[in-house]
């Protein structure tokens, strides 16, 4: 048994591993599969390292990644990632199982760093570069990170917390690093004395020996952090097998849009998010796609320039990104004739947005559903579907889903229940969180998603509610307890509660209900400024409403559902 399973299973022996012989539900959705196989082989590759290595050899001469006018071939990535792996291994002493954090936007350095990290046998902790110092400090310490790869433009955040972490080495990334072209980049914060430039690490690594590391499916690949009910994020421990399995499931469902050596992908959603990481990067890299990275998707003019040049066959996004593109007057400038797949996830895709997207591009938005804990895809609208369904599709091959009521009993078709999933893409557990693991799985090993869904007679799953009160802002999960913990720390706040409210731009926005402390004249702007200092921008409350009291149950629990009713 390997490192991650030792840690997770020792912490939560009640979490059984995935069982390939699942027979618990009827799997009525398989009748809708058509030619899709019922099962995939989660060990089709020994590891993600093996899968990526085969791709780099097979497609050596093809363009692999483009960004900021620069292009790297698969052979370039093979060479550069080997050099970075050698640097990690020989210079920094990174060993199998160590965690290395990566905190960059979509730049060429990201795939180089990732491939180098996993070739050295380490696991990658993905970090949102927009994190505040508080959020970053928690994640680095929770993951036990000693090496951080970080974009120079956010090094001020690192400088704020470095003394309170285990960090020994900080590798800083500029906009053109890895391409051989030095592009103007933000300066590294002067407080980070001794930081190593990524280009210097690559140059030094080229002259250092590299020893291949034996990595298999059980080894830890990612710590993918996700919000939790305690207000602190938890690391979903994803293994190599988890990601190999999810890639194979996606290929089984959508073979017509994974043509070896032919696909062109524009990656506008961030690679530190598991959706882009698994689909845009790992899955499409494995079939030799030409991937155009977009560092800042909020710059719609730059994004549209990239789309015009790339003429993509594949585009993945969240509802808000699609909504912005269809509303932009330059959307018609793009030649969409090559587009074969537009996929949406992270938040519900709105039917009207899909209709407008189809009118613009000729392709509807194919929706899926999943979580960080499930690598991420659990359900997807398969290739046989040729129009927007308003559902998240069918469960993937080798995936078992059952919907449970509050008593743990399985509900019938057409009835709502908590979505509980088991499959080779589901994590073994949260990193060093035994109590959370015990609560996260059923006794027979199904992961409790906290989302409420309904199956129709054909097996299509529709998400109808969120049991955990999560708010989704532009595809990012926001957890009320974290927002409330930060807001309550503001002088003058007696208590507060937040809910999600509909927002045309971001899907949902955070609305905060606040009870002031006695005799305090706290204002909205003061409270929002306090939150902005400690929360990533998308988590900051958009609306603040001061109230005399919050609705509570007889035992004193704040009733968020009542707040949603008046929001």
């Amino acid at each position: 048994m390997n490192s991650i399973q030792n840690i997770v299973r020792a912490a939560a022996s009640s979490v059984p591993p995935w069982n390939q012989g699942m027979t618990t539900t009827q799997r009525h959705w398989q009748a809708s599969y058509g030619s899709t196989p019922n099962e995939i082989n989660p060990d089709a590759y020994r590891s993600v390292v093996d899968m990526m290595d085969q791709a780099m050899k097979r497609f050596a001469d093809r363009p692999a990644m483009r960004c900021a006018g620069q292009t790297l071939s698969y052979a370039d990535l093979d060479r550069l990632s080997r050099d970075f792996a050698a640097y990690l291994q020989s210079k920094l002493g990174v060993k199998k199982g160590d965690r290395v954090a990566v905190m960059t936007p979509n730049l060429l350095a990201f795939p180089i760093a990732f491939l180098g990290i996993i070739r050295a046998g380490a696991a990658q902790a993905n970090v949102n570069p927009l994190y505040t110092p508080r959020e970053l400090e928690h994640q680095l310490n929770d993951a036990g990170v000693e090496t951080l790869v970080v974009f120079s433009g956010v090094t001020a955040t690192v400088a704020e917390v470095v003394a309170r972490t285990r960090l020994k080495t900080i590798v800083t990334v500029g906009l053109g690093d890895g391409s051989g072209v030095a592009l103007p980049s933000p300066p590294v914060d002067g407080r980070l004395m001794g930081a190593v430039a990524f280009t210097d690490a690559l140059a030094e690594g080229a002259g250092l020996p590299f020893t291949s590391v034996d990595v298999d499916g059980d080894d830890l690949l990612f710590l993918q952090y996700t919000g939790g009910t305690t207000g602190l994020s938890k690391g979903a421990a994803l293994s190599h097998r988890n990601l190999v399995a999810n890639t194979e499931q996606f290929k089984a469902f959508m073979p017509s849009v994974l043509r070896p050596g032919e696909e062109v992908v524009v990656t506008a959603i961030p690679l530190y998010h598991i959706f882009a990481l698994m689909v845009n990067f790992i899955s499409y890299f494995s079939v030799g796609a030409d991937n155009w990275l977009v560092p800042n998707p909020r710059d719609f003019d730059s994004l549209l320039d990239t789309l015009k040049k790339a003429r993509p066959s594949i585009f993945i996004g969240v509802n808000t990104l699609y909504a912005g593109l269809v509303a932009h007057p330059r959307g018609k400038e793009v030649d969409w004739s090559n587009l074969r797949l537009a996929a949406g996830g992270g938040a519900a895709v709105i039917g009207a947005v899909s209709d407008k997207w189809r009118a613009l591009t000729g392709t509807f938005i194919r929706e899926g559903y999943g979580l960080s804990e499930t690598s991420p895809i659990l359900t997807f609208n398969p290739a046989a579907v040729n129009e927007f369904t308003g559902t998240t599709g069918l469960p993937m091959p080798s995936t078992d889903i059952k919907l449970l009521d509050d008593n743990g009993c399985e509900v019938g078709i057409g009835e709502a229940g908590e979505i509980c999933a088991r499959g080779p893409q589901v994590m073994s557990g949260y990193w060093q969180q035994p109590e959370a693991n015990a609560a996260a799985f059923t006794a027979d090993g199904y992961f409790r998603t906290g989302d409420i869904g309904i199956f129709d007679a054909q097996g299509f799953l529709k998400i109808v509610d969120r049991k955990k009160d999560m708010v989704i802002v532009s595809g990012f999960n926001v957890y009320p307890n974290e927002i409330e913990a930060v807001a309550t720390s503001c002088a003058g706040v007696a208590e507060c509660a937040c809910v999600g409210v509909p927002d045309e731009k971001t899907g949902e926005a955070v609305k905060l209900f606040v009870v002031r402390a006695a005799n305090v004249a706290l204002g909205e702007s003061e409270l929002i400024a306090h939150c902005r200092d400690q929360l990533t921008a998308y988590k900051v409350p958009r609306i603040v409403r001061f109230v005399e009291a919050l609705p509570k149950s007889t035992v004193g629990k704040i009733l968020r559902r009542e707040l949603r009713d008046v929001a």
Side-chain angles (χ1 to χ4, degrees):
M1 191 179 295
N2 226 306
S3 54
I4 178 56
Q5 290 179 325
N6 277 325
I7 293 169
V8 170
R9 292 180 190 169
S13 59
S14 62
V15 183
W18 174 73
N19 181 349
Q20 205 164 356
M22 296 180 288
T23 59
T24 51
T25 61
Q26 293 85 359
R27 291 185 174 183
H28 69 289
W29 53 81
Q30 290 181 347
S32 301
Y33 269 9
S35 60
T36 298
N38 292 340
E39 307 289 338
I40 56 91
N41 178 12
D43 297 305
Y45 297 91
R46 179 171 169 79
S47 66
V48 172
V49 177
D50 182 34
M51 180 166 60
M52 306 300 255
D53 184 63
Q54 289 189 35
M56 289 187 287
K57 299 295 189 292
R58 179 182 178 185
F59 304 106
D61 295 332
R62 279 189 53 78
M65 297 283 173
R66 305 179 194 247
C67 187
Q70 309 304 312
T71 303
L72 294 177
S73 68
Y74 280 81
D76 290 332
L77 281 174
D78 190 4
R79 170 179 53 82
L80 292 167
S81 64
R82 178 265 171 218
D83 294 345
F84 191 58
Y87 180 82
L88 292 173
Q89 198 177 64
S90 299
K91 180 71 174 181
L92 304 186
V94 171
K95 306 180 298 300
K96 181 176 179 177
D98 288 351
R99 281 77 61 203
V100 177
V102 175
M103 186 179 179
T104 79
N106 292 358
L107 301 173
L108 292 176
F110 189 106
I112 297 170
F114 165 64
L115 292 167
I117 289 165
I118 65 172
R119 290 176 80 170
Q124 179 163 311
N126 292 298
V127 182
N128 183 339
L130 298 179
Y131 268 173
T132 65
R134 182 189 68 88
E135 294 163 318
L136 176 61
E137 180 181 347
H138 164 70
Q139 186 167 326
L140 293 177
N141 286 333
D142 188 75
V145 169
E146 295 184 351
T147 303
L148 170 66
V149 180
V150 60
F151 173 51
S152 63
V154 295
T155 48
T157 308
V158 181
E160 290 290 327
V161 305
V162 63
R164 300 189 298 274
T165 70
R166 294 170 53 183
L167 286 176
K168 294 179 179 178
T169 305
I170 298 170
V171 180
T172 60
V173 170
L175 292 173
D177 287 7
S179 69
V181 176
L183 299 178
S185 300
V188 175
D189 191 285
R191 292 171 290 177
L192 294 181
M193 303 297 294
V196 179
F198 190 64
T199 51
D200 292 341
L202 293 177
E204 187 169 356
L208 294 172
F210 168 66
T211 303
S212 295
V213 179
D214 182 29
V215 177
D216 64 25
D218 291 332
D219 286 313
L220 180 65
L221 174 65
F222 294 128
L223 284 184
Q224 194 70 32
Y225 277 78
T226 183
T229 57
T230 63
L232 295 173
S233 59
K234 304 187 297 292
L238 302 178
S239 69
H240 283 260
R241 179 177 291 107
N242 288 151
L243 272 294
V244 169
N246 212 213
T247 299
E248 291 298 297
Q249 290 166 325
F250 182 54
K251 290 176 181 177
F253 246 30
M254 301 296 299
S256 63
V257 296
L258 287 135
R259 302 165 297 170
E262 296 186 37
E263 306 298 354
V264 178
V265 184
V266 169
T267 299
I269 53 178
L271 287 171
Y272 57 78
H273 193 288
I274 191 63
F275 189 27
L277 194 52
M278 197 292 288
V279 180
N280 294 57
F281 186 0
I282 295 176
S283 293
Y284 278 99
F285 192 94
S286 74
V287 296
D290 180 358
N291 204 324
W292 296 60
L293 303 182
V294 177
N296 180 16
R298 295 177 182 174
D299 182 348
F300 272 79
D301 282 315
S302 178
L303 170 57
L304 285 160
D305 287 342
T306 299
L307 289 165
K308 286 177 65 175
K309 293 174 186 175
R311 299 177 65 244
S313 61
I314 310 298
F315 187 74
I316 314 291
V318 295
N319 185 77
T320 50
L321 182 60
Y322 285 112
L325 286 171
V326 298
H328 200 287
R330 292 187 57 205
K332 296 178 181 178
E333 296 178 9
V334 179
D335 178 357
W336 298 104
S337 60
N338 288 335
L339 190 65
R340 299 168 66 89
L341 172 66
V349 175
I350 307 302
V353 173
S354 181
D355 291 344
K356 292 175 183 178
W357 180 258
R358 190 165 199 165
L360 175 66
T361 69
T363 303
F364 74 99
I365 302 173
R366 194 177 298 269
E367 191 172 3
Y369 165 70
L371 306 93
S372 296
E373 294 91 337
T374 61
S375 302
I377 304 177
L378 287 175
T379 68
F380 199 69
N381 278 276
V385 172
N386 55 23
E387 62 183 5
F388 183 76
T389 67
T391 77
T392 64
L394 305 172
M396 304 292 273
S398 294
T399 301
D400 220 13
I401 290 179
K402 59 183 180 181
L403 308 182
L404 301 180
D405 63 20
D406 289 341
N407 296 316
C409 298
E410 196 162 356
V411 303
I413 291 172
E415 297 179 352
E418 182 180 5
I419 301 165
C420 299
R422 187 165 71 172
Q425 76 273 48
V426 178
M427 68 171 187
S428 297
Y430 294 110
W431 180 254
Q432 298 179 334
Q433 294 279 342
E435 293 183 4
N437 288 332
F441 289 83
T442 65
D444 54 350
Y446 285 74
F447 173 67
R448 299 180 181 275
T449 68
D451 293 320
I452 306 299
I454 295 175
F455 271 126
D456 69 14
Q458 286 71 47
F460 287 80
L461 181 68
K462 184 175 180 62
I463 312 300
V464 296
D465 201 357
R466 289 185 299 279
K467 190 173 181 178
K468 297 177 181 176
D469 290 326
M470 183 175 67
V471 182
I472 300 181
V473 179
S474 297
F476 290 95
N477 297 348
V478 178
Y479 291 82
N481 280 356
E482 181 183 17
I483 313 306
E484 292 160 7
V486 169
T488 304
S489 70
C490 179
V493 173
E495 60 181 357
C496 63
C498 77
V499 299
V501 295
D503 184 273
E504 290 184 0
K505 183 178 179 182
T506 59
E508 283 188 305
V510 176
K511 182 172 183 177
L512 187 67
F513 291 83
V514 179
V515 177
R516 292 186 182 95
N519 303 315
V520 173
L522 177 67
E524 178 179 350
S525 59
E526 181 182 352
L527 179 54
I528 289 179
H530 171 85
C531 292
R532 190 171 286 120
D533 284 342
Q534 300 191 54
L535 294 167
T536 304
Y538 65 83
K539 298 179 183 179
V540 175
R542 182 80 59 81
I543 307 160
V544 174
R545 178 177 172 183
F546 291 98
V547 294
E548 293 297 322
L550 298 172
K552 297 177 182 177
S553 70
T554 55
V555 296
K557 182 178 180 181
I558 294 172
L559 300 175
R560 291 198 186 104
R561 65 177 181 273
E562 292 190 13
L563 293 174
R564 282 195 290 268
D565 290 341
V566 301

